[in-house]
Amino acid sequence: IPILKPAAYWFGANKEIVDEGFDYILPVIACAFIPIIYLTFCGTLLAEGRTMIFALLQTITLILNVLLFDPLFLIVFKWGMTGNALATIFAEGLPMIVITTLYYCGKFSVKPKFSDLFKKFSPHAIPALKVGFSQLFYQLSLAVPGIILRKFLGLSSTEETFVDIVAGFNAQIRFYQIVLMVTAAITMGFLPCASYAVGATRYKRVLSLLKHVCWISFGWTLITMIFTVGIPSQISKMFSSSPSYLVYATQFVRNSNEYFIKLKSELS
């Protein structure tokens, strides 16, 4: 928390942006235990094979955030960036309370106890943590270059253009999430099915599953790239219609996908 404002200044933001960013990220960091507990029990649901309950919880979180708490805190109460942060916290907090209560009441396969929180680590803790190392390095590979890139954006902009440049970059990141989440969902669905097939020595089933994963992922990314390269301005307007913002957002959305297409063709 003490380095939030200095870090924002380091990126090149002015005082107004720094203050608004602090209003948003301070509640989010202070309540970071909520998504941690929430994701822990969501992961337990996936481990038990309860994928539909997991999907339902994620959908409820989305609906609470976008359709209830964001309009309530931003439009009705007019709490600004703090309201935006609280919307995320409440949207994750309510499902977290429900799923945590159900687990501690023994409604699922695993029934934890509060006394477990004060016991020594299980001998299975280290092997379990090793499974997450790949995800740790994956997240770092996304976060660290993003930090450096944002610094370059700050160096290449003036105080007048900084907001529009960062907003345009943010539009590209958000649309990238739409592309990524579909392929990530397909991959996550493939892993447990393929794992079961390998355990059952049904290798033809593994290849069949992999074939479908490949064509669905390729088809989805191809469609999204056609739109990002063809109509980047219209896509950018999903977030804002400001002319100065559109100048940068259009370039980010189009060029990032053009470069990806060229890179894929060179690798092929």
Side-chain angles (χ1 to χ4, degrees), residues 2 23 25 52 66-67 105 111 118 144 155 169 235 246 261:
D23 290 341
I25 203 168
M52 294 305 297
V66 176
L67 299 182
C105 290
K111 184 179 180 180
F118 307 100
V144 175
L155 292 174
F169 178 70
I235 291 175
L246 288 175
I261 293 174

Side-chain angles (χ1 to χ4, degrees), residues 3-207:
I3 70 169
L4 292 179
K5 287 189 175 182
Y9 281 119
W10 180 76
F11 281 124
N14 57 35
K15 186 178 185 305
E16 181 182 2
I17 299 300
V18 170
D19 290 339
E20 289 189 357
F22 188 80
D23 290 341
Y24 173 81
I25 203 168
L26 178 61
V28 170
I29 291 180
C31 297
F33 67 93
I34 291 177
I36 291 173
I37 296 174
Y38 184 35
L39 290 175
T40 297
F41 283 109
C42 284
T44 308
L45 285 172
L46 289 175
E48 293 185 12
R50 304 179 188 274
T51 54
M52 294 305 297
I53 299 178
F54 169 79
L56 179 62
L57 283 173
Q58 299 300 306
T59 304
I60 291 173
T61 300
L62 172 66
I63 293 174
L64 288 175
N65 197 342
V66 176
L67 299 182
L68 178 60
F69 292 120
D70 265 334
L72 180 64
F73 294 150
L74 293 176
I75 299 176
V76 178
F77 294 153
K78 300 186 184 302
W79 286 352
M81 297 303 293
T82 301
N84 192 6
L86 291 176
T88 301
I89 293 169
F90 278 89
E92 294 180 337
L94 292 180
M96 182 272 291
I97 293 173
V98 172
I99 192 63
T100 302
T101 302
L102 290 175
Y103 260 104
Y104 275 98
C105 290
K107 300 300 183 181
F108 298 106
S109 303
V110 178
K111 184 179 180 180
K113 300 178 181 178
F114 285 104
S115 59
D116 294 336
L117 298 173
F118 307 100
K119 293 180 179 179
K120 66 178 182 179
F121 285 106
S122 163
H124 304 291
I126 299 301
L129 288 173
K130 289 181 180 178
V131 176
F133 281 162
S134 61
Q135 184 66 212
L136 171 64
F137 290 119
Y138 169 70
Q139 295 296 336
L140 288 175
S141 71
L142 294 177
V144 175
I147 293 173
I148 299 174
L149 178 57
R150 283 169 174 81
K151 176 59 178 177
F152 286 150
L153 291 177
L155 292 174
S156 63
S157 63
T158 63
E159 185 172 333
E160 291 75 20
T161 62
F162 178 81
V163 174
D164 291 323
I165 290 176
V166 174
F169 178 70
N170 182 68
Q172 188 273 328
I173 293 296
R174 298 306 175 191
F175 191 80
Y176 168 75
Q177 292 295 325
I178 297 176
V179 178
L180 177 65
M181 288 304 104
V182 173
T183 55
I186 296 170
T187 305
M188 290 174 65
F190 165 75
L191 290 176
C193 299
S195 178
Y196 174 81
V198 170
T201 65
R202 299 173 61 181
Y203 301 118
K204 289 185 178 180
R205 179 175 175 80
V206 177
L207 293 175

Side-chain angles (χ1 to χ4, degrees), residues 249-268:
T250 300
Q251 297 180 63
F252 275 119
V253 171
R254 181 186 62 244
N255 294 343
S256 62
N257 285 278
E258 282 184 350
Y259 172 76
F260 185 75
I261 293 174
K262 292 177 182 178
L263 179 62
K264 289 285 287 184
S265 61
E266 290 173 2
L267 291 175
S268 301

